[in-house]
């Protein structure tokens, strides 16, 4: 009899089930984000930036909310990811899709225009946001999928550690623009806020929480960007031959 029995090591069957589940999870999100990209491209071509969110709302919310399972995977140990870092990354996306786009309609259509190319308006907004998120997630989940199979094609490895150079700053800029565009509406609507007095004697001002949340991007973005550049160098840089 043991007061503190040793943890039972994962069996081959359990590991096989976990691998099968993760393969299905990653494949479904590759398909989900590809679908979001296709819908967004079709809506943008047909109706411009203002038509994109309405065309992708349900699959976008589903695909992004499904990422909450990644935190569960990290907690259960079936994916080798740090729980806190994973939770922070997922929460930032959830803040944008649920705390900005879902509750503030002006954020869905606002565009900070940079110019036009062939009559197409280019700038920050939902189209640029989905372009960055969609490509990033299709590449990321493809990387995980093939890694589970044992070999990741070099093109996917290169894309995972190269596309972020442009997509990450463009995506963050798009997130902040959407949040800024919808902020006035958020304040007026009182969404997700709890006013006093109430039975629980608790006040919650969601706009203030959102401001503090996005202020975290100021120190967080450069730190993570530099970390990703170092990761790119370590993964893609050719190994130096050892001196005899």
């Amino acid at each position: 009899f043991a007061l503190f029995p040793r943890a039972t090591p994962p069996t081959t069957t359990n590991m096989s089930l976990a691998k099968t589940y993760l393969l299905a999870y990653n494949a479904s999100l590759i398909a989900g984000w590809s679908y979001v990209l296709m819908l967004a491209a079709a809506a943008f071509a047909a109706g411009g930036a203002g038509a994109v969110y309405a065309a992708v709302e349900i699959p976008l919310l589903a695909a992004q909310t499904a990422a909450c399972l990644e935190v569960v995977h990290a907690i259960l140990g079936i994916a080798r990811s740090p729980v806190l870092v994973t939770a922070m990354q997922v929460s930032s996306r959830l803040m944008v899709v649920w705390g900005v786009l879902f509750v503030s309609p002006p954020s869905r259509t606002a565009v900070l225009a940079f110019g036009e190319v062939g009559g197409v308006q280019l700038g920050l907004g939902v189209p640029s946001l989905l372009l960055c998120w969609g490509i990033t997630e299709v590449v990321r989940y493809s990387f995980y999928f093939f890694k589970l199979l044992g070999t990741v094609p070099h093109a996917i490895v290169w894309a995972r550690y190269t596309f972020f150079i442009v997509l990450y700053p463009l995506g963050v800029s798009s997130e902040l623009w959407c949040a800024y565009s919808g902020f006035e509406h958020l304040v007026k609507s009182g969404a997700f806020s709890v006013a006093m007095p109430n039975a629980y004697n608790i006040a919650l001002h969601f706009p203030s929480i959102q401001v503090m949340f996005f202020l975290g991007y100021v120190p967080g973005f450069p730190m993570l960007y530099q970390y990703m550049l170092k990761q790119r160098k370590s993964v893609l840089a050719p190994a130096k031959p050892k001196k005899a």
Side-chain angles (χ1 to χ4, degrees), residues 117-136:
V117 175
V120 178
Q121 189 180 55
L122 301 179
L124 298 180
V126 169
S128 61
L129 178 75
L130 295 182
L131 176 69
C132 296
W133 283 10
I135 294 175
T136 298

Side-chain angles (χ1 to χ4, degrees), residues 64-66 68 89-100 133:
Q64 190 53 67
T65 305
C68 292
Q89 292 174 338
V90 171
S91 66
S92 67
R93 293 286 190 86
L94 293 178
M95 173 62 82
V96 175
V97 294
W98 290 106
V100 175
W133 283 10

Side-chain angles (χ1 to χ4, degrees), residues 14-101:
N14 289 339
M15 292 177 67
S16 178
L17 288 173
K19 181 178 179 179
T20 301
Y21 162 73
L22 288 175
L23 283 169
Y25 172 80
N26 288 309
S28 65
L29 283 172
I30 293 170
W33 279 105
S34 297
Y35 184 54
V36 169
L37 277 174
M38 289 189 293
L39 288 177
F44 185 78
V52 173
Y53 181 81
V56 305
E57 181 177 32
I58 300 303
L60 171 63
L61 292 174
Q64 190 53 67
T65 305
C68 292
L69 288 172
E70 294 180 31
V71 181
V72 178
H73 299 164
I75 292 173
L76 296 179
I78 63 174
R80 296 180 180 179
S81 303
V83 177
L84 182 59
V85 173
T86 303
M88 290 174 62
Q89 292 174 338
V90 171
S91 66
S92 67
R93 293 286 190 86
L94 293 178
M95 173 62 82
V96 175
V97 294
W98 290 106
V100 175
L101 297 175

